[in-house]
């Protein structure tokens, strides 16, 4: 299930367009990566906490509060205990600016509570308002946009936790993917 896909197009700082970024929101345009065999490019670095590369088979079956993150993109914390044995994280997790997908190929999704199809908290960075330069200085506009993000989050059957226009950080939780 995709959460948070391409609402804003441009980031502004001091009224200047900095660079295009994806944000939080509606359906994403089709891309070559949105098929069920998605494999991230080799330059995509996922960080695991705790570091599962240092764990043996027995420890991998009982990883508590697993967090997968990408610098300047965001993180997903899977709550409780996760059995990480046999999980192909490169195929299961897609964490991009403005988009998080877990099990993009729904035919490979396990039952709820198994693998990574479980309760999680997601924090996404660089989720900027479409008119960032105008919203940053107007508290009323910021509140309206935050309300819009809350409604969009809840429409995706997720629980809104927080969104901050000035930092572009959006946090929400899900019961499953």
């Amino acid at each position: 299930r995709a959460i948070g896909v391409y609402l804003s197009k441009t980031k502004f700082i001091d009224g200047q367009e900095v660079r295009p970024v994806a944000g939080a929101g509606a359906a994403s345009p089709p891309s070559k990566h949105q098929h069920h065999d998605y494999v991230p490019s080799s330059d995509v670095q996922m960080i695991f906490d705790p570091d599962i590369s240092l764990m043996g088979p027995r420890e991998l079956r009982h990883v508590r509060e697993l967090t997968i993150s990408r610098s300047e993109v965001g993180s997903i914390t899977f709550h409780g205990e996760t059995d990480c044995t046999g999980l192909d994280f490169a195929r299961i997790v897609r964490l991009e600016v403005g988009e998080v997908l877990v099990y993009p190929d729904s035919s490979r999704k396990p039952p709820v509570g198994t693998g990574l199809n479980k309760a999680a908290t997601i924090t996404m960075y660089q989720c900027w308002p479409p008119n960032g330069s105008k919203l940053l200085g107007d508290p009323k506009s910021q509140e309206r946009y935050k309300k819009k993000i809350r409604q969009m989050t809840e429409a995706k059957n997720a629980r809104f936790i927080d969104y901050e226009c000035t930092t572009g950080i959006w946090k929400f939780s899900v019961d499953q993917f």
Side-chain angles (χ1 to χ4, degrees):
R1 170 171 77 190
I3 306 276
V5 185
Y6 304 109
L7 184 59
S8 72
K9 303 273 192 281
T10 307
K11 176 179 173 182
F12 293 87
I13 295 180
D14 296 327
Q16 301 277 338
E17 182 176 315
V18 177
R19 67 184 177 100
V21 298
S28 64
S31 78
K32 63 183 179 178
H33 297 298
Q34 290 184 323
H35 54 83
H36 57 265
D37 289 329
Y38 169 78
V39 178
S41 62
S42 60
D43 63 336
V44 172
Q45 180 68 28
M46 285 194 281
I47 301 162
F48 295 83
D49 183 25
D51 187 346
I52 60 174
S53 69
L54 303 176
M55 295 181 176
R58 182 171 291 166
E59 294 169 301
L60 283 172
R61 283 192 286 277
H62 307 284
V63 179
R64 295 212 39 84
E65 298 299 306
L66 173 68
T67 298
I68 301 173
S69 61
R70 285 193 51 215
S71 179
E72 299 186 32
V73 175
S75 65
I76 308 169
T77 298
F78 297 92
H79 300 298
E81 199 169 88
T82 302
D83 181 353
C84 294
T85 56
L87 295 180
D88 184 351
F89 290 99
R91 290 194 183 274
I92 296 171
V93 178
R94 179 177 177 179
L95 188 57
E96 305 289 341
V97 174
E99 180 177 47
V100 60
L101 285 170
V102 177
Y103 296 106
D105 178 0
S106 60
S107 70
R108 296 180 185 208
K109 186 185 302 189
V112 174
T114 308
L116 301 180
N117 191 12
K118 60 192 304 179
T121 299
I122 298 95
T123 302
M124 299 178 74
Y125 310 132
Q126 301 189 53
C127 296
W128 303 104
N131 282 329
S133 62
K134 293 177 185 170
L135 276 175
L136 293 178
D138 180 14
K140 287 183 181 180
S141 294
Q142 289 178 19
E143 278 306 309
R144 279 194 306 273
Y145 193 72
K146 186 174 183 174
K147 182 178 178 183
K148 183 176 182 176
I149 294 294
R150 176 187 296 273
Q151 291 169 339
M152 186 274 309
T153 304
E154 292 168 355
K156 297 273 189 180
N157 296 318
R159 281 178 304 288
F160 178 85
I161 296 172
D162 194 26
Y163 174 75
E164 181 58 52
C165 288
T166 57
T167 62
I169 297 174
W170 175 26
K171 192 170 183 176
F172 58 95
S173 64
V174 297
D175 291 328
Q176 67 187 55
F177 289 92

